[in-house]
Amino acid sequence: MAEELIGNTEYSTYSFSELEEEVKDLIKKAEQACDTSYSPYSNFQVGAAVLLENGEVVTGSNQENSSFPAGLCAERVALFFIGANYAGKKIKKVAVTAKRKGESEFVPVTPCGGCRQVLLETETRQESNINVIIQSSYNQWVITKSTKVLLPFCFNKHSL
Ligand code: THU
């Protein structure tokens, strides 16, 4: 099977204090984005912050709907906004954070399967790696080398 389908398993883990300032800043922006979540059904507030190659940061949050499948995850809100408004701008890093409504503590979260697929398509399309930054447990942060780390044996355009 071709390497691009298998993906790789390269990632590193850090405590918060070990992270680069740029990454800490991205995490903080993702945390702030949780405040814009519209999640009256799950009460689970997710924030995504995306660092573009020009240094700009674009954020997204989950937007739910009474017709449940019509809602959209924070990551896809941010990625599709970038696709529509920053065409051709490459993405360097994506940080994802979450908290339960009414609580101040952030909880570990990783992108859902659908968002992993969209992250992968974005990376494939821009032909350069995206680092995904997620909290895996208390004070433990994972930075992946590529989106493929989250989606081994993936389906992508090379499968067609
Ligand atoms: N959610 C996200 O925003 N991103 C993910 O990767 C996981 C799930 C949202 C969707 C829904 O609004 C809520 O979290 C509960 O599933």
Side-chain angles (χ1 to χ4, degrees):
M1 185 180 266
E3 165 64 19
E4 68 265 14
L5 296 182
I6 298 169
N8 65 62
T9 55
E10 288 178 60
Y11 66 88
S12 302
T13 55
Y14 307 86
S15 67
F16 190 80
S17 61
E18 290 171 333
L19 294 168
E20 289 172 18
E21 287 307 314
E22 183 182 70
V23 173
K24 284 182 185 169
D25 182 59
L26 204 61
I27 290 169
K28 288 285 157 210
K29 291 200 165 101
E31 288 178 348
Q32 285 163 9
C34 289
D35 291 337
T36 68
S37 164
Y38 175 63
S39 43
Y41 305 103
S42 71
N43 292 317
F44 193 67
Q45 302 176 307
V46 185
V50 182
L51 177 65
L52 301 175
E53 60 182 345
N54 64 1
E56 270 187 75
V57 174
V58 175
T59 61
S61 59
N62 55 326
Q63 303 295 318
E64 298 184 350
N65 193 279
S66 54
S67 173
F68 288 5
L72 201 60
C73 291
E75 299 92 317
R76 274 178 277 176
V77 167
L79 291 171
F80 291 156
F81 181 85
I82 290 165
N85 295 285
Y86 293 82
K89 284 272 178 295
K90 290 187 181 183
I91 291 172
K92 286 170 66 181
K93 301 177 199 293
V94 178
V96 187
T97 62
K99 65 195 273 294
R100 297 189 182 89
K101 201 176 288 176
E103 294 181 11
S104 53
E105 201 177 304
F106 288 87
V107 294
V109 71
T110 60
C112 79
C115 288
R116 292 177 194 214
Q117 188 72 30
V118 174
L119 282 162
L120 174 78
E121 182 95 13
T122 307
E123 180 177 278
T124 307
R125 192 175 168 192
Q126 70 177 28
E127 296 178 335
S128 64
N129 282 358
I130 297 173
N131 303 131
V132 184
I133 301 153
I134 47 185
Q135 188 181 359
S136 57
S137 65
Y138 176 74
N139 200 26
Q140 185 161 61
W141 294 84
V142 168
I143 304 184
T144 72
K145 184 185 172 192
S146 155
T147 64
K148 287 181 192 157
V149 175
L150 298 173
L151 207 56
F153 303 101
C154 57
F155 179 85
N156 65 18
K157 69 176 182 180
H158 302 299
S159 315
L160 296 174

